[in-house]
Amino acid sequence: MKRSTRYAISLSLVSLYGGLANAEPAQQTLESSETISLDSLRIYGEPEETKSATKLDLTIFETPQIVSVISQDQIEDFALNEVNDLLKYVPGVTVEQVETGRTYYTARGFDIVNFQYDGIGVPFSYGLTQGHDDTAMYEKVEVIKGASGLITGLANPSATINFVRKRPTDEFQASAKASYGSWNTRRVDADISGPINDRVRGRLVVAKEKGDSYLDRYSTDRDVFYGIVSADLTDSTELTFSHSVNDHHSDGNSSGALPLFYSDGTLTDYDESTNTAPSWAQQDVKQTRSFIELEQRIGDDWAIKAMYTQNKQEKQWNSLYLAGNPDPITESGLTAQASDYKAQDKEKIFDLYVSGKFELAGREQEVVAGINVADIQLTGRSVYSSTWNYDPIGGNWSAGLTPKPVFDVYDASQQSTDIDQEQDSAYFSTRLRPTDRLSVLLGARTVKIDQDVISYGVPQKVSDTETVPYAGLTYEVIDGTMLYGSYSEVFKAQTWVDASLAPLGPVKGESREFGIKQEFNDGNAVLTLARFESEQENFGEYVTRNVATGLNIYRGIELQSKGYEIELSGEVLDRLNMSAGYTYLDMEDENGDDTRVFIPTKQFKLAASYQVPYFNGLNVGGGVRWQNEIYYGDTEVQGSYALVDLFAQYQLNKNVSVALNLYNVGDEKYLESPQWGQANYGAPRSAIGSVTWTY
C-alpha cells in the first residue's frame, strides 16, 4: 500500500471516528477492523518522490545515490525531539558532539556542510551547529549521501541534510503531547492544521522543553514556534508563507570537554556526570527562519516555483575553556580561558526554477532549470578577561567553582570576525530515458562566489567561479532491481588561512558512487548496496594557533575516502518497519596513512517497529547503534560499543495513546567525539514517558 493511500485512509478514519475517547467503548474500538487498518499505517523511510538530490521527481529507488529518510513515524516512535538525536539514527552519519552546545556531523569521512530546507540549500556553512535544533516543525529529514553540489552549490562528498517542514493539510487535524523523563525533563507539543476557508490552509506547531541533565550543572530550556499558511490564489497558483523560531537557552554549558589524557600520558576516566563548565556558564541561541513561496502550475506537466528565504541566528554565551593535561593525583595543571562571545548569522536566499516534462523519441523526459542568489553575513566578537590562562582553582575545577572573571579585554581589530559572502548560481538537471528501463541523469551548477572576510585582524578577499557537473545512470535490470552509478566534482570555498596568513583557497576533487537497489513488499521497502570513493585536494587541516593573532592556521592536504554501505529501509514485512544500515569507511591522507581517526570506520544502525497482530493498538520496537573503536592520534581512546534503545506504544482508544521510551538500556559508558583531544561522556540509561491526544 502506497503512503498516499495510507494517509487517505487515516484521514477518513479520523473524520469517521472524530470526538473524544469516551464516544464509544474502548473494547469495541480494539475489536474493529478499522483499528487494524490504523495499525498498518506506520512507515519508515520514504517510498514516494523526493527532490532533494536533483529537484527531479524521483523516488529513492530511482535516485542514483543512497538516500536515508527519517520519517515522521520514526521520529514519533523513538521520541527524536532533537536533530542531534535524529541524525544519530541515520546509517553512515556520525554526530560529533564536541561539547554541550557545538556539534559537527560527518558522513563518508568528511564534515557535512550541505544543509537544505524544503530542498533549498543554505549556501554557506562551516558544518558546525550551535545550540539544539528541535524536530517539532519537520515532517521528515532526508540525508542524501555523497556530493550534491547540483542543488546546494557546495559539492562536498559527505552528505546533504534536507529538513522537510510540515505543510498545511486539506483536512482538519490536531494533536497534543505531554512527556516527562529522566533528569526532570518536561516537554509539551501541539500541532493543529487544516482549512481556514475554501482556498486558505494553515498549520501551527508549538513546543516547550525544559530539564536538567546527567551532566553536573547543565540544564536546558527550549521554545519552538512554527506557523505556515498556504493560499490558492487561482486553481493553478499557490502562495505559501511561513515563520519559525527555535529559542534555546542553557546553563552550565561546556566550552571544550573533558581532557582525554593525564600529564603522564595515561587515559583519564571521569564520572559520566563530570562537567568542565563553571556554575556561571550560559548560552543563548535563537534561530528564526522565514520564507515566502509562489508556485505556478502550467498545465499538467510544468511548474514555476520561486522562494525567498531569510534566516537569522543570534548567539551569545559566557564560557570557560579548559586546556592541558591534569596531574593524575591532584587534577591540577589545567589552564583556562574565559570569554564572552556574541555572534549573528544572516542569510538571504532567492531561488527560482522551472520544471517540467516533455516528449522526445516517443518517451517522457524531465528537465529542471533555475537560478539562485544568496547573501550571507556572519559577524562575531570575543571579549576576554585580563586574567585569562589562569589556573582553574587546582583540582576543584570539576565542582564548577572557578570564579567568573571580569571580561575587560577587547580589541575590535583583533577579536572580531566579519564575513560577507555573495553567491550567484545557475543550475539545470534532466532525466533522459533512451529506453523504458534506462535513465540518464545530467546536470551542472555554475557558482560565482565573492567573499570579504576580516577574521580576528586578518583580512581576506576571495573571488571564485566554478562549474560543478553531475551525471547519473540507472538501469532497471528486471522489475524492482536497479543498477546505478553517479559522478560529481567536488568544490567548496574555505575561509582558512595558511602559515603566511594567506587564504587557503577552495577544496576541489571528485566523487563517485555505484551500486544496486532492490525493492521489496510492493515497493514499500528498498535495499541498497553501494560502493563510494572520493578524492579531495587542498583540504584544510588544522596545524596550530597563531599566538600573535589568535588565528587558527591550516594547511592544504590531499585526502581519499572509500568504502561501502548497505542500507534497508521501509515496511519490509506487513506490520514490520525497519531502517538499518552498515557502513565501512577507509580514509587515507596523501601519504597513505589513516586519517581523521576520531571517526569510526565501521558502523551498524538498526531501528525497527512492529505492530503486534494479536494485541491491536500495541506497537513495540527498538534500535541498536554500534561502532568500532576510535582514536586520537595513535591512541585508542574509545573501544567499540553498542547502544540499545527500546519503546512501546499503546493506543488506549481512537484519540489517546501512551508510550514509554528507554535509551541506552545497557547503561553503556562511552565517550562522545574526541576530535579536538577532549571528549564528554554520552548519556547513561534514561527513560521518557508520554501521553498523546490526536484528532
Side-chain angles (χ1 to χ4, degrees):
M1 187 183 293
K2 296 296 186 181
R3 188 176 180 88
S4 58
T5 307
R6 295 168 186 270
Y7 280 142
I9 294 174
S10 178
L11 290 170
S12 66
L13 290 171
V14 169
S15 299
L16 180 64
Y17 293 99
L20 298 176
N22 60 5
E24 63 182 25
Q27 183 64 33
Q28 238 181 351
T29 303
L30 293 177
E31 293 176 352
S32 70
S33 61
E34 288 85 357
T35 301
I36 295 174
S37 297
L38 279 171
D39 273 351
S40 67
L41 295 178
R42 312 197 71 77
I43 192 77
Y44 286 10
E46 176 57 82
E48 301 298 327
E49 293 176 349
T50 174
K51 297 185 177 184
S52 301
T54 61
K55 282 191 174 177
L56 297 167
D57 292 329
L58 305 177
T59 65
I60 288 177
F61 180 68
E62 297 169 323
T63 302
Q65 294 174 250
I66 286 187
V67 182
S68 304
V69 179
I70 303 297
S71 67
Q72 182 65 208
D73 289 331
Q74 189 174 345
I75 293 173
E76 293 175 357
D77 287 349
F78 287 86
L80 304 175
N81 298 322
E82 286 189 19
V83 168
N84 284 358
D85 295 332
L86 182 153
L87 292 175
K88 288 176 181 178
Y89 264 103
V90 177
V93 172
T94 60
V95 178
E96 305 288 335
Q97 193 159 331
V98 296
E99 57 191 35
T100 55
R102 293 198 300 173
T103 309
Y104 299 85
Y105 309 124
T106 70
R108 299 183 175 181
F110 300 104
D111 292 346
I112 299 175
V113 298
N114 301 339
F115 300 94
Q116 300 177 0
Y117 292 86
D118 296 329
I120 304 299
V122 178
F124 184 97
S125 175
Y126 289 111
L128 176 67
T129 63
Q130 305 277 4
H132 295 265
D133 198 3
D134 202 278
T135 62
M137 67 185 73
Y138 302 129
E139 183 68 30
K140 60 182 177 180
V141 177
E142 303 172 333
V143 181
I144 306 96
K145 310 292 180 57
S148 298
L150 181 63
I151 301 303
T152 63
L154 299 174
N156 187 49
S158 53
T160 297
I161 301 174
N162 182 34
F163 300 96
V164 181
R165 287 171 284 209
K166 294 177 177 178
R167 296 283 175 140
T169 55
D170 293 328
E171 303 288 336
F172 176 79
Q173 63 179 48
S175 66
K177 182 177 182 179
S179 309
Y180 183 82
S182 301
W183 310 299
N184 197 30
T185 302
R186 298 93 70 197
R187 181 181 175 92
V188 291
D189 298 80
D191 184 348
I192 184 170
S193 177
I196 299 174
N197 57 40
D198 291 342
R199 287 189 171 273
V200 182
R201 302 162 298 283
R203 190 163 190 168
L204 176 66
V205 178
V206 293
K208 171 76 172 181
E209 182 172 315
K210 187 173 184 178
D212 298 321
S213 166
Y214 69 97
L215 291 173
D216 297 334
R217 300 176 299 283
Y218 183 60
S219 63
T220 61
D221 189 351
R222 185 166 69 251
D223 295 283
V224 178
F225 168 88
Y226 171 67
I228 183 170
V229 176
S230 295
D232 297 326
L233 303 183
T234 70
D235 291 341
S236 61
T237 310
E238 183 179 45
L239 178 66
T240 302
F241 58 91
S242 169
H243 180 71
S244 67
V245 180
N246 189 109
D247 195 357
H248 181 266
H249 173 82
S250 62
D251 291 312
N253 59 286
S254 62
S255 178
L258 298 172
L260 290 177
F261 301 95
Y262 286 117
S263 57
D264 62 0
T266 59
L267 288 170
T268 60
D269 186 16
Y270 296 104
D271 293 336
E272 291 168 307
S273 61
T274 307
N275 188 1
T276 63
S279 57
W280 48 264
Q282 59 85 33
Q283 182 185 55
D284 287 293
V285 179
K286 184 177 182 180
Q287 299 176 339
T288 58
R289 302 184 182 277
S290 305
F291 76 84
I292 183 168
E293 175 187 275
L294 181 66
E295 181 176 14
Q296 177 64 57
R297 296 177 295 280
I298 306 171
D300 296 331
D301 299 325
W302 287 85
I304 300 174
K305 180 178 286 188
M307 177 184 284
Y308 174 76
T309 301
Q310 189 165 294
N311 305 321
K312 183 169 71 173
Q313 184 179 77
E314 299 170 285
K315 298 169 283 188
Q316 185 279 326
W317 63 82
N318 294 144
S319 63
L320 183 76
Y321 180 81
L322 268 64
N325 306 109
D327 184 272
I329 305 287
T330 66
E331 288 290 338
S332 63
L334 293 172
T335 59
Q337 174 181 307
S339 66
D340 177 272
Y341 180 79
K342 292 182 180 178
Q344 186 178 87
D345 304 343
K346 293 182 178 180
E347 301 163 343
K348 299 177 182 179
I349 308 164
F350 175 74
D351 190 88
L352 171 68
Y353 71 94
V354 59
S355 62
K357 300 176 181 179
F358 63 97
E359 188 171 302
L360 180 66
R363 291 184 173 85
E364 187 178 80
Q365 324 290 343
E366 298 173 58
V367 67
V368 172
I371 59 172
N372 185 282
V373 178
D375 183 24
I376 304 98
Q377 293 180 322
L378 299 100
T379 57
R381 63 121 172 121
S382 298
V383 182
Y384 299 106
S385 168
S386 55
T387 57
W388 73 313
N389 283 337
Y390 60 90
D391 189 332
I393 64 173
N396 293 324
W397 57 265
S398 62
L401 301 177
T402 305
K404 183 178 181 179
V406 176
F407 300 110
D408 55 358
V409 178
Y410 179 65
D411 182 351
S413 65
Q414 300 295 322
Q415 294 166 218
S416 64
T417 182
D418 190 344
I419 300 175
D420 190 353
Q421 184 183 101
E422 293 182 0
Q423 287 193 17
D424 299 324
S425 57
Y427 58 89
F428 89 96
S429 60
T430 184
R431 175 164 69 163
L432 304 176
R433 296 173 176 171
T435 71
D436 291 339
R437 295 187 178 275
L438 177 66
S439 291
V440 179
L441 289 86
L442 300 172
R445 185 181 185 107
T446 297
V447 184
K448 183 178 184 298
I449 299 177
D450 291 305
Q451 180 172 283
D452 286 317
V453 178
I454 300 177
S455 183
Y456 292 88
V458 180
Q460 302 178 41
K461 190 175 181 64
V462 178
S463 183
D464 207 343
T465 301
E466 191 75 17
T467 297
V468 179
Y470 176 92
L473 188 73
T474 62
Y475 181 69
E476 193 167 10
V477 183
I478 58 175
D479 291 348
T481 303
M482 184 80 77
L483 298 176
Y484 76 90
S486 61
Y487 168 87
S488 178
E489 290 189 359
V490 172
F491 171 77
K492 180 183 180 296
Q494 302 182 108
T495 60
W496 317 128
V497 296
D498 60 20
S500 64
L501 303 184
L504 197 60
V507 179
K508 296 185 179 183
E510 297 179 340
S511 177
R512 296 169 292 278
E513 178 178 329
F514 53 91
I516 182 171
K517 298 187 179 187
Q518 178 65 55
E519 287 187 321
F520 294 95
N521 195 21
D522 196 27
N524 284 316
V526 176
L527 173 68
T528 305
L529 172 61
R531 167 75 176 182
F532 62 86
E533 55 188 34
S534 65
E535 300 86 32
Q536 294 199 54
E537 299 177 355
N538 200 41
F539 181 88
E541 180 184 62
Y542 174 77
V543 177
T544 187
R545 187 177 182 88
N546 187 298
V547 178
T549 65
L551 202 64
N552 291 332
I553 303 302
Y554 286 77
R555 69 184 183 101
I557 64 172
E558 297 180 10
L559 294 179
Q560 181 183 68
S561 168
K562 56 185 178 181
Y564 60 85
E565 293 182 278
I566 304 172
E567 187 166 327
L568 173 65
S569 66
E571 190 179 30
V572 296
L573 297 170
D574 290 343
R575 298 179 176 269
L576 176 63
N577 276 276
M578 185 180 295
S579 172
Y582 175 81
T583 304
Y584 172 78
L585 172 68
D586 181 17
M587 196 162 184
E588 298 178 347
D589 62 17
E590 54 201 354
N591 300 315
D593 298 325
D594 294 336
T595 187
R596 294 175 68 81
V597 292
F598 59 88
I599 300 172
T601 58
K602 301 173 184 175
Q603 293 185 70
F604 173 75
K605 297 183 180 182
L606 168 68
S609 71
Y610 183 65
Q611 284 103 20
V612 182
Y614 302 109
F615 203 139
N616 288 330
L618 180 63
N619 181 40
V620 298
V624 177
R625 291 172 283 144
W626 173 88
Q627 67 173 54
N628 70 335
E629 69 278 358
I630 52 178
Y631 297 80
Y632 182 75
D634 296 327
T635 303
E636 180 183 315
V637 295
Q638 173 62 60
S640 61
Y641 65 90
L643 304 178
V644 178
D645 303 329
L646 299 173
F647 75 85
Q649 301 167 341
Y650 184 61
Q651 193 77 31
L652 295 175
N653 52 55
K654 62 183 177 294
N655 296 111
V656 181
S657 64
V658 294
L660 177 65
N661 289 81
L662 302 176
Y663 305 100
N664 191 5
V665 175
D667 204 22
E668 186 79 24
K669 184 179 181 181
Y670 64 98
L671 288 169
E672 301 270 28
S673 173
Q675 180 174 358
W676 301 106
Q678 305 170 324
N680 287 326
Y681 291 98
R685 182 189 296 120
S686 63
I688 186 169
S690 61
V691 179
T692 303
W693 174 86
T694 58
Y695 178 82

